[in-house]
Amino acid sequence: MGSNLKTKTDNPDETDELWRLDSALSLINWSYPNSDARKRKLKLDPDLVEVDSDGLFYPYVGVSQLNALSDQYKIDDNSTAEEIEAYQEALARLMADDPEAKLFGGRKERGWGEVARLSYGEFLDTLQHALHRDKLSPSGICQQLVGEILKVEHSRQNEALENAELKVLEQYLFPVHAMGYCWLGSNADSANALAKRIESIQAFYRDKGFKCHKVILVTHSMGGLVARYYSEVLGGNAQIYGVVHGVLPSVGAAATYTRMKRGTENPLSDIAGYVTTQILGRDAAEMTAVCAQSPGALQLLPAPEYGMGWLNIIDRHGNKESYPKVDPYSEIYTCKDKWWRLVDPHLLNPLNERGNKWVFEQNWKGFENIIYRHVKKFQSDISGKYHPNTYSFYGLDDSFVSKVEASHTTQQTAIWKGTLWMAEENTYPVPSSALPGEQLDKREVMQHRTISDVLSANERDYQIVGTGGPGDYRQRTSVYVGQRFTLQDAAENGDGTVPVISGVIADKHLVSRLPLKVEHEPAYKKPIAQKFTLRAIIKIAQEVNNDPLMAFKA
């Protein structure tokens, strides 16, 4: 979700910015009450959105130049639109005169505005600085990495960077490009877009008289699935020197299931987490309205490689059932007759308020089509496939003694626990199995699901009679209703989204792997993640020396 999106339009002068993550408050409008399931289904439709390239990014302008420009234009909250436009034009001219822009083109032209400034802005700037302006400095970022041990847990090469390996930085230029993609659409489609982008980048530099044969890919989260499909399914392998994956959900994440059942969690129970839950999706209705029509989101579901038995149903008597047993696609994802199914069918289309049966069936068929044509096939196509020159880091709280830190608690397994439940007569949620059209009580779209249960004679007879409160002498009766299942909070280790079992890519697929105490979204903000990535890039760049199409004639 780190790519900026806007509504598709045929008019280039019109723009409807939908999902632009320039700062922590950029998406605050999605937390408003009117950003409900209906709006989300209409606006966040993969067929109706495209990448927005107008996001903010870190420009390279010297501090003294920037201060002089600010003093000249004195932009503040009272500035007019004309004054702001004049300042922006002056800033653009200043950036265009920059040596980096003259070599590589502007940062906007290199896609920096397509991706979330909040997540990647500082990292992109640091990376470009290290690989261009600072690369030959005796005290530069690259030089500081020489001999440093990052404590990788797996490596097929000498872990530390050697001085001799910096030689490649002297011989070649390393422009940093970014590519946003529609994370709602299929990652296979995004991989095709990546193929076209790489071709255009290669053509751009060749037209400028540079040698440009292959690229180095750096990915974050879902972007790693896009890269794997491009590399190993579309044949892009031959265009890539190597890949660095950060917090890749290599075989999916159980959080995709839990968030579609209860909404986004707030593990720290703080204000920032609350706002995040409101933005990403408050409950099953809002999450399902978007995710169930979005192949990209559903491709993050646990694949068969994730393992069997990650969904556990424990009833009030302690009896346990685990799923999937053989096939997650039929047993969980397209299951219709179990209350713990991935999707409550009537939540597929919040616009079908009257419950039209034909619309209901068409919505379900469309959802099944996504699961089998886009999710199952995509996961099967990339199963066990990685570029042979791959580096990876993943999230892990390595400091815990008996309990993982809240920011790192991750849903490796999804567990529903049942209890005997009591409530006031005629006010409690109707068990889902008792509602027509496979519906779900509107009060149960978060962590609880109430189902009918066989009660003992004592349980059937049990009731509490009391007053309705001060000034209200009507009698109200509480009775045992049945069984209420509660989806348990995350408790396993990871980065808050990707559990360790999915973050750890098997040794046979990797050159190097490093566990890091990073959280999922801000992973590349951590200096240690930046160090690992930069070191991996320099290691991968040694391949340029073996590429006859990049060699210089003596």
Side-chain angles (χ1 to χ4, degrees):
M1 304 172 76
S3 295
N4 300 324
L5 301 179
K6 64 181 179 180
T7 301
K8 285 182 179 177
T9 176
D10 293 330
N11 186 346
D13 295 325
E14 293 180 359
T15 180
D16 183 3
E17 109 183 29
L18 281 178
W19 196 271
R20 189 184 294 173
L21 201 53
D22 292 333
S23 69
L25 297 178
S26 295
L27 300 178
I28 196 68
N29 61 304
W30 284 104
S31 70
Y32 299 160
N34 67 341
S35 294
D36 57 7
R38 288 170 53 89
K39 178 179 178 180
R40 290 168 189 263
K41 182 171 180 62
L42 287 169
K43 292 288 188 179
L44 296 174
D45 182 332
D47 293 329
L48 303 179
V49 302
E50 61 186 359
V51 174
D52 180 359
S53 63
D54 291 327
L56 297 180
F57 53 87
Y58 282 70
Y60 181 81
V61 178
V63 175
S64 60
Q65 294 171 297
L66 190 59
N67 288 340
L69 204 63
S70 299
D71 290 341
Q72 178 183 349
Y73 286 89
K74 300 186 185 305
I75 299 298
D76 56 30
D77 293 339
N78 297 319
S79 299
T80 65
E82 290 77 12
E83 290 172 333
I84 293 174
E85 183 178 358
Y87 169 77
Q88 291 174 335
E89 289 178 353
L91 179 60
R93 288 194 297 272
L94 195 61
M95 291 168 57
D97 289 334
D98 177 61
E100 177 193 306
K102 290 180 178 179
L103 278 172
F104 309 141
R107 290 183 168 185
K108 177 178 173 60
E109 287 70 36
R110 280 182 278 145
W112 288 32
E114 298 176 10
V115 298
R117 180 181 187 270
L118 178 67
S119 304
Y120 314 117
E122 183 267 337
F123 168 62
L124 288 172
D125 185 61
T126 298
L127 193 59
Q128 185 63 91
H129 181 69
L131 292 171
H132 181 56
R133 301 176 186 277
D134 188 55
K135 65 179 183 178
L136 300 181
S137 171
S139 59
I141 300 172
C142 297
Q143 189 64 50
Q144 291 173 19
L145 288 175
V146 173
E148 183 173 0
I149 301 297
L150 300 183
K151 297 181 180 179
V152 297
E153 64 183 10
H154 163 71
S155 183
R156 296 206 310 255
Q157 60 185 199
N158 181 18
E159 180 189 348
L161 196 65
E162 299 177 1
N163 258 314
E165 292 174 303
L166 298 184
K167 185 73 174 176
V168 70
L169 299 179
E170 299 177 19
Q171 299 170 318
Y172 297 93
L173 296 172
F174 292 85
V176 175
H177 289 250
M179 192 193 92
Y181 60 94
C182 179
W183 39 267
L184 296 167
S186 173
N187 288 307
D189 294 335
S190 297
N192 277 288
L194 175 60
K196 293 177 181 178
R197 178 66 62 88
I198 289 173
E199 289 175 4
S200 68
I201 290 171
Q202 291 169 328
F204 171 78
Y205 288 110
R206 288 168 184 164
D207 288 345
K208 289 173 69 73
F210 291 114
K211 293 176 180 290
C212 183
H213 183 206
K214 299 184 182 182
V215 299
I216 297 172
L217 297 180
V218 177
T219 79
H220 176 241
S221 189
M222 182 194 288
L225 303 181
V226 175
R228 286 171 61 192
Y229 195 90
Y230 165 65
S231 171
E232 305 306 304
V233 181
L234 298 183
N237 186 296
Q239 302 300 315
I240 303 170
Y241 286 121
V243 181
V244 184
H245 289 309
V247 293
L248 169 69
S250 64
V251 292
T256 312
Y257 168 87
T258 59
R259 290 171 184 174
M260 289 183 70
K261 299 302 290 183
R262 69 174 171 208
T264 308
E265 66 276 7
N266 178 10
L268 297 180
S269 300
D270 59 6
I271 295 298
Y274 172 77
V275 173
T276 298
T277 66
Q278 302 299 295
I279 291 172
L280 298 184
R282 289 164 273 226
D283 54 38
E286 292 184 354
M287 294 296 288
T288 299
V290 177
C291 293
Q293 67 183 5
S294 304
L298 294 173
Q299 286 163 350
L300 297 175
L301 285 164
E305 292 172 283
Y306 191 91
M308 299 295 110
W310 54 264
L311 174 59
N312 298 309
I313 319 298
I314 305 173
D315 69 17
R316 65 189 180 100
H317 305 293
N319 301 313
K320 178 180 176 181
E321 279 286 335
S322 296
Y323 303 89
K325 300 183 183 301
V326 178
D327 175 38
Y329 307 104
S330 62
E331 295 174 39
I332 300 176
Y333 307 154
T334 60
C335 173
K336 288 181 71 174
D337 61 351
K338 304 292 184 182
W339 63 264
W340 41 259
R341 59 204 168 192
L342 172 67
V343 167
D344 296 289
H346 80 287
L347 297 181
L348 284 171
N349 188 358
L351 306 176
N352 185 22
E353 294 176 328
R354 296 186 178 183
N356 182 291
K357 188 174 181 180
W358 182 85
V359 173
F360 179 89
E361 289 300 325
Q362 292 304 114
N363 291 152
W364 182 259
K365 287 179 181 178
F367 169 69
E368 281 189 322
N369 180 63
I370 292 175
I371 290 294
Y372 284 105
R373 289 191 60 190
H374 296 285
V375 178
K376 183 177 181 179
K377 184 178 186 306
F378 179 86
Q379 292 181 335
S380 175
D381 284 346
I382 66 169
S383 177
K385 296 175 182 176
Y386 298 84
H387 189 278
N389 198 14
T390 294
Y391 294 69
S392 172
F393 71 83
Y394 66 96
L396 173 75
D397 176 12
D398 58 357
S399 62
F400 77 98
V401 177
S402 59
K403 188 176 181 180
V404 179
E405 284 186 14
S407 60
H408 283 268
T409 54
T410 307
Q411 208 94 45
Q412 178 173 309
T413 55
I415 303 173
W416 292 93
K417 282 189 177 180
T419 57
L420 186 62
W421 192 60
M422 182 179 71
E424 294 174 11
E425 279 189 305
N426 303 319
T427 66
Y428 50 79
V430 179
S432 58
S433 57
L435 285 169
E438 303 176 65
Q439 293 186 39
L440 179 70
D441 189 286
K442 292 182 178 179
R443 290 164 290 186
E444 295 209 324
V445 290
M446 297 185 76
Q447 72 269 34
H448 300 302
R449 299 292 187 275
T450 304
I451 69 168
S452 300
D453 196 13
V454 177
L455 303 178
S456 67
N458 288 337
E459 290 168 345
R460 287 197 301 272
D461 293 339
Y462 188 90
Q463 62 181 22
I464 296 177
V465 178
T467 66
D472 182 0
Y473 299 99
R474 293 174 297 173
Q475 297 291 302
R476 295 194 300 184
T477 303
S478 292
V479 299
Y480 280 144
V481 175
Q483 186 167 191
R484 165 171 276 190
F485 283 88
T486 301
L487 185 56
Q488 303 300 292
D489 290 337
E492 291 110 339
N493 211 333
D495 61 26
T497 297
V498 179
V500 170
I501 63 166
S502 187
V504 175
I505 302 171
D507 293 0
K508 63 183 179 180
H509 300 306
L510 296 174
V511 175
S512 182
R513 183 182 63 241
L514 177 66
L516 294 176
K517 194 173 182 179
V518 295
E519 296 167 45
H520 191 75
E521 177 273 322
Y524 279 104
K525 293 181 181 179
K526 291 284 188 177
I528 184 65
Q530 296 179 7
K531 283 185 176 183
F532 176 80
T533 302
L534 179 57
R535 193 193 67 174
I537 288 171
I538 296 172
K539 291 278 189 180
I540 292 170
Q542 306 307 307
E543 294 296 317
V544 178
N545 295 320
N546 302 319
D547 184 350
L549 294 180
M550 293 297 290
F552 291 99
K553 294 181 180 179

